Amino acid sequence: MRQYRIENISMSEEVGMKVWKTQYKEYDNFYNDVIAPKKPHPEVVQFAADVKAKWDETVPATVNEAFSETNLEVRRLLFKAIGVEELFAKLEPELIHEKTLVKHGTRWDEKNKPFKYQINDKYMLYKIKGDKLFPDEPMEWRRANADIYAVRCWCSTTGREYWIYVPRNIGETGDALAAIAWTVQLPITNPECIYRQGDVIVAKASEASRPIVNSRRPGLTKEEYINLLVAAT
Amino acid sequence: MIQLTPGGDPEKHIMTSDKNIEVANISEDGQIIKFTVESTAVITHDEHDKIVLEKGTYYKTNQMEFNPFTNTVSYIFD
């Protein structure tokens, strides 16, 4: 039987197809992310054709299917492929903290003149215990290390809901604002202020700003996020 | 006109100005840039309200997210 490797984990063709279908939904998404970056060797072209031939008949994995997967590494891949929104919607996560950031912000009229408005952004921090994700993991410390956290938020313009995973040490602060602040990792120190348009962050440099050359940039603290944010659209 | 999210949809996060904007890539993937606004710059998006920037030096990046199943951190793209 044909075997596929995903993230260095070997699995049957059937399971590999399920992981990809769950993650990419449409074949074009799979092609653009997995196939397009590779050189078009004949083996790659054949591989793409094989996957395409089976794409429509492959059914995406459900959360329950992921739980029934006995290989922990494959289960991890399935959880990743299912995505944060569905995982947290199905698993009845524990609400750790909820906070609405209320402060004066700026928006602009049709002539680009600024006007004041009230930022009113709600953030909710949730946790899924590792026990729930990997109940058959025999090592207690590994189950505890598998706790996952996500912050739930809404776009202030579209109202669309987003779930963003945050690291365990951030989740363990138990603070929803600390969690959203971590998602903002600037390439400079001492910014004067920050603007957010959806997922794009723009930081205005101050005279004291210096580049952060280390590739591991720290996330903002809760206080920095609250004080620096002047517009969120 | 500058597309602030390289490779993204052409109507998202577009910056325009009536004066030239000096841009420098800070990261190899082009997602972190430094730019200098001489007068005013406007960032538009088909779904989000615009942002207007006054004269100054700015750095653009994207929000980040953690992946608990690979222990990696990556950009968020909407």
Side-chain angles (χ1 to χ4, degrees):
Chain A
M1 182 186 259
R2 184 180 296 168
Q3 292 277 302
Y4 285 147
R5 283 185 80 78
I6 303 176
E7 294 185 14
N8 280 329
I9 299 159
S10 184
M11 64 198 74
S12 69
E13 179 184 26
E14 183 185 358
V15 173
M17 285 296 306
K18 192 171 272 293
V19 170
W20 282 322
K21 184 70 179 270
T22 307
Q23 181 165 349
Y24 294 108
K25 311 290 188 291
E26 304 294 333
Y27 176 77
D28 286 351
N29 298 333
F30 164 82
Y31 184 89
N32 290 335
D33 201 46
V34 177
I35 304 296
K38 300 181 190 299
K39 291 182 178 172
H41 292 306
E43 304 82 39
V44 173
V45 173
Q46 184 60 51
F47 165 62
D50 291 344
V51 170
K52 188 172 187 179
K54 291 195 173 279
W55 194 264
D56 288 344
E57 68 190 51
T58 302
V59 179
T62 63
V63 172
N64 285 342
E65 268 184 286
F67 274 114
S68 66
E69 172 57 54
T70 53
N71 182 313
L72 288 186
E73 287 304 312
V74 174
R75 191 187 306 172
R76 179 185 62 78
L77 274 179
L78 287 169
F79 283 147
K80 179 187 167 198
I82 286 167
V84 59
E85 286 181 29
E86 187 176 344
L87 204 57
F88 273 74
K90 295 278 168 62
L91 289 184
E92 298 175 348
E94 178 186 352
L95 175 61
I96 303 292
H97 186 231
E98 174 180 340
K99 183 74 180 173
T100 300
L101 172 60
V102 180
K103 68 172 286 190
H104 290 301
T106 302
R107 289 209 175 175
W108 295 265
D109 67 16
E110 64 280 359
K111 293 181 177 173
N112 297 336
K113 298 287 183 200
F115 64 89
K116 293 292 175 198
Y117 89 110
Q118 187 161 278
I119 293 174
N120 205 337
D121 291 348
K122 184 163 80 170
Y123 301 102
M124 301 171 84
L125 177 65
Y126 286 88
K127 170 184 180 179
I128 297 177
K129 287 184 75 68
D131 290 0
K132 225 170 184 177
L133 293 166
F134 302 100
D136 42 3
E137 166 60 61
M139 308 292 279
E140 188 180 341
W141 66 271
R142 290 182 78 170
R143 289 200 305 275
N145 279 347
D147 290 352
I148 61 175
Y149 293 85
V151 60
R152 182 185 183 191
C153 49
W154 290 261
C155 172
S156 54
T157 309
T158 65
R160 202 173 292 153
E161 179 181 315
Y162 293 92
W163 290 80
I164 305 172
Y165 285 125
V166 295
R168 195 157 57 94
N169 66 310
I170 298 299
E172 285 174 348
T173 64
D175 193 309
L177 283 178
I180 196 66
W182 174 88
T183 69
V184 179
Q185 301 178 15
L186 301 180
I188 55 168
T189 64
N190 302 306
E192 185 177 312
C193 61
I194 58 172
Y195 305 78
R196 183 165 64 76
Q197 185 183 61
D199 54 329
V200 160
I201 306 290
V202 175
K204 185 173 188 182
S206 69
E207 288 187 2
S209 291
R210 298 289 178 270
I212 298 175
V213 291
N214 190 324
S215 61
R216 290 182 67 84
R217 299 179 178 90
L220 293 183
T221 65
K222 165 182 150 179
E223 289 75 20
E224 287 171 331
Y225 185 74
I226 293 170
N227 292 329
L228 293 171
L229 185 69
V230 295
T233 73
Chain B
M1 188 182 89
I2 297 163
Q3 160 73 279
L4 290 179
T5 47
D9 294 336
E11 66 276 17
K12 298 183 189 303
H13 309 299
I14 302 299
M15 183 165 63
T16 55
S17 177
D18 54 359
K19 290 194 176 175
N20 280 344
I21 300 177
E22 198 178 311
V23 178
N25 268 328
I26 301 298
S27 63
E28 285 182 8
D29 57 17
Q31 297 299 345
I32 302 178
I33 60 171
K34 174 186 179 183
F35 59 91
T36 304
V37 175
E38 293 298 334
S39 57
T40 300
V42 182
I43 305 173
T44 57
H45 188 285
D46 61 339
E47 291 184 321
H48 300 287
D49 282 356
K50 66 184 169 187
I51 285 173
V52 179
L53 304 176
E54 302 299 329
K55 182 177 179 176
T57 299
Y58 296 86
Y59 289 77
K60 171 266 160 187
T61 186
N62 271 60
Q63 254 183 304
M64 307 297 287
E65 69 177 339
F66 180 66
N67 187 323
F69 303 110
T70 56
N71 282 327
T72 55
V73 176
S74 57
Y75 295 114
I76 297 173
F77 298 105
D78 63 14

